[in-house]
Amino acid sequence: MGDTPPRRDEIGLIPCPEARYNRSPIVLVQNKLGVESWCVKFLLPYVHNKLLHYRQRKQWLNKDELIDVTCTLLLLNPDFTTAWNVRKELILSGTLNPLKDLHLGKLALTKFPKSPETWIHRRWVLQQLIQENSLPTLVNKGNMGTVPTERIQRLVQEEMDVCCEAAGRYPSNYNAWSHRIWVLQHLGKLNVKILLNELSSTKYWVSMHVSDHSGFHYRQFLIKSLTGRTVADNTVLVQNQLVNQQSSSLPKDEENEAAEATCAEEQRVDLSQLLEEELELCTDLIDTYPGHETLWCHRRHVFYLQHHLNNKLLLPNIWLTSVDSSDGTLNNSHPSTAVSHVTQAMDVDGLHDSNKQGYTQETKRLKRAPTQDSLGLEMEYRFIDKVLSTCRDVEQARFATAYKKWFIFPFNMGEMKSHHRIEYGTTPASSCSKQ
């Protein structure tokens, strides 16, 4: 078996209880490496003892022999940590190309897709590739921050392919999906473009594996990462817009304008639409494949993110609306003044201002228009009632009932508190204290 060339793409055992023919037990067909099972009970102890004798300094092996022994051992038993540690030493000494270990791990994962030691060693090799400047880690572009280079993007894509193949070979492969998240964090640096590409590319996969919780958890990680990054970026953009409206007469540097335009283009992610599309995906899968608890758990997570995203974006949206007055400017550019102006605009009964100053047609629109979150709650009620009234699957009804119990209590309470704050400009606790 030895040091496998890069063209080998899969390994497997050929059921063969005994050697029937006088030939090699290693079979190669169209880049698929097969090992007759009868020889494993002889070959595995042989290479195992040989490596242990080397580590105990009882037997000397040159570098080529050491590479062949560890390669054979790991293809038969990839969870043998000592063999991976020997190959780490060979990489650090410059004897072994780290890219060969990535290929060896990929080949081993075709037979043992959940091998934790293989995934751990793979992450170590990737770290070495970056730390040793084998790959340029990041490129700075002015104020745009850091973006992956083409070579890193190619490496990220290769790791995504390895993880996808391993996830398809073993259901709920936690190790593969965890490695995929690690790659996004350390190689992709949670780049928005990469996150969106991953969200798009895994949509078909989860549709074909509706019971694989690890796959849906990965999508939850992607959505949460996009939400966290984009909400922060949108907050910065809102503040910049308010400042720019006050300082529009000042000349701007052309280079800064280009950087801001590019930055704004990268940050232009419609989170509301993204979450809405994910809920539609959940709806389609729940209707098509009834009785899968994973789908209901994923819907719960997505709706929770959507609910809290609407609460986070409520203030900036009202803030920008209040800026758009008749003359298009603010009386005072300080953020605290803008917030207090919004608070007064949302005071329906005029409790904070007996004269009701600033009570305009725009104020009425803000008071009377239903919020996006309340519409989402109503649509979710309708979806649950529709499922419960039409489903015939017992498990589907049980999961829908559990989802309804989770849905009703926290969001009803949250809606009541939000309604109380908007109507009376205070919290229930403060209103009780006044009484």
Side-chain angles (χ1 to χ4, degrees), residues 175-427:
N175 293 318
W177 292 105
S178 297
H179 179 79
R180 198 165 185 165
I181 291 175
W182 183 92
V183 170
L184 289 180
Q185 292 174 330
H186 293 82
L187 292 181
K189 301 298 179 182
L190 295 180
N191 179 266
V192 173
K193 182 179 179 180
I194 297 178
L195 292 175
L196 290 174
N197 290 338
E198 281 295 287
L199 196 63
S200 176
S201 64
T202 56
K203 183 176 181 179
Y204 176 79
W205 196 95
V206 296
S207 299
M208 296 293 102
H209 302 78
V210 293
S211 293
D212 197 308
H213 181 74
S214 297
F216 283 97
H217 176 265
Y218 179 71
R219 289 184 68 83
Q220 293 166 16
F221 166 79
L222 295 174
I223 296 173
K224 199 170 183 179
S225 299
L226 285 169
T227 303
R229 291 178 67 87
T230 314
V231 166
D233 294 338
N234 286 340
T235 304
V236 174
L237 290 176
V238 168
Q239 295 174 354
N240 289 339
Q241 289 177 13
L242 292 174
V243 174
N244 291 338
Q245 289 179 1
Q246 296 300 316
S247 59
S248 57
S249 60
L250 298 177
K252 291 185 178 180
D253 185 76
E254 295 182 359
E255 190 172 330
N256 290 336
E257 285 183 353
E260 289 178 1
T262 308
C263 184
E265 183 179 355
E266 287 187 350
Q267 296 168 354
R268 195 176 295 121
V269 179
D270 191 344
L271 289 177
S272 299
Q273 181 180 357
L274 187 147
L275 290 170
E276 189 65 29
E277 291 175 354
E278 194 68 16
L279 280 179
E280 291 178 1
L281 174 64
C282 288
T283 301
D284 293 340
L285 294 179
I286 288 174
D287 292 339
T288 308
Y289 306 101
H292 290 273
E293 188 177 12
T294 300
L295 300 176
W296 289 98
C297 291
H298 183 61
R299 186 180 188 91
R300 181 182 303 186
H301 186 90
V302 173
F303 187 81
Y304 180 84
L305 286 178
Q306 186 185 53
H307 175 75
H308 285 272
L309 175 66
N310 291 336
N311 292 338
K312 284 183 179 181
L313 295 182
L314 180 61
L315 180 58
N317 288 336
I318 299 175
W319 192 349
L320 286 177
T321 305
S322 65
V323 174
D324 188 16
S325 59
S326 58
D327 57 353
T329 59
L330 278 174
N331 294 330
N332 191 339
S333 61
H334 197 277
S336 61
T337 307
V339 176
S340 63
H341 176 72
V342 173
T343 305
Q344 293 176 5
M346 296 301 292
D347 180 22
V348 178
D349 296 328
L351 295 179
H352 295 288
D353 189 356
S354 58
N355 296 326
K356 296 187 178 181
Q357 297 177 355
Y359 191 85
T360 62
Q361 217 41 44
E362 180 66 19
T363 307
K364 292 180 181 179
R365 186 187 66 79
L366 286 173
K367 295 171 185 175
R368 295 175 180 175
T371 63
Q372 182 180 2
D373 191 40
S374 62
L375 293 176
L377 292 171
E378 182 179 355
M379 292 178 63
E380 200 67 9
Y381 273 123
R382 292 178 180 177
F383 169 75
I384 299 173
D385 291 339
K386 177 185 175 183
V387 172
L388 289 175
S389 61
T390 59
C391 75
R392 298 181 179 179
D393 187 88
V394 177
E395 292 296 311
Q396 178 86 322
R398 183 168 68 89
F399 297 143
T401 303
Y403 180 79
K404 185 176 183 179
K405 290 180 180 178
W406 168 85
F407 176 79
I408 288 178
F409 178 74
F411 292 109
N412 269 353
M413 294 296 294
E415 192 175 11
M416 291 171 58
K417 292 178 181 178
S418 176
H419 177 74
H420 195 284
R421 285 195 295 268
I422 293 176
E423 290 290 330
Y424 301 104
T426 182
T427 61

Side-chain angles (χ1 to χ4, degrees), residues 105-171:
K106 177 181 179 180
L107 190 58
L109 289 171
T110 60
K111 173 60 180 174
F112 307 95
K114 204 178 178 181
S115 169
E117 294 298 329
T118 305
W119 292 111
I120 292 172
H121 182 75
R122 194 171 192 85
R123 288 190 284 273
W124 182 88
V125 172
L126 292 172
Q127 288 176 331
Q128 296 303 309
L129 287 173
I130 296 177
Q131 293 174 1
E132 295 176 0
N133 295 324
S134 298
L135 293 171
T137 55
L138 296 170
V139 175
N140 294 323
K141 290 188 178 180
N143 296 327
M144 293 172 54
T146 57
V147 294
T149 63
E150 292 183 1
R151 198 171 180 186
I152 287 184
Q153 287 180 336
R154 185 166 61 251
L155 185 61
V156 169
Q157 186 57 48
E158 291 174 358
E159 291 302 302
M160 297 297 106
D161 294 339
V162 172
C163 293
C164 186
E165 185 177 356
R169 291 177 179 272
Y170 194 99

Side-chain angles (χ1 to χ4, degrees), residues 50-51 53-54 59-66 69:
K50 203 168 186 178
L51 183 62
H53 289 162
Y54 168 80
Q59 181 179 356
W60 170 253
L61 296 176
N62 59 40
K63 295 178 181 178
D64 293 335
E65 291 175 336
L66 202 55
V69 167

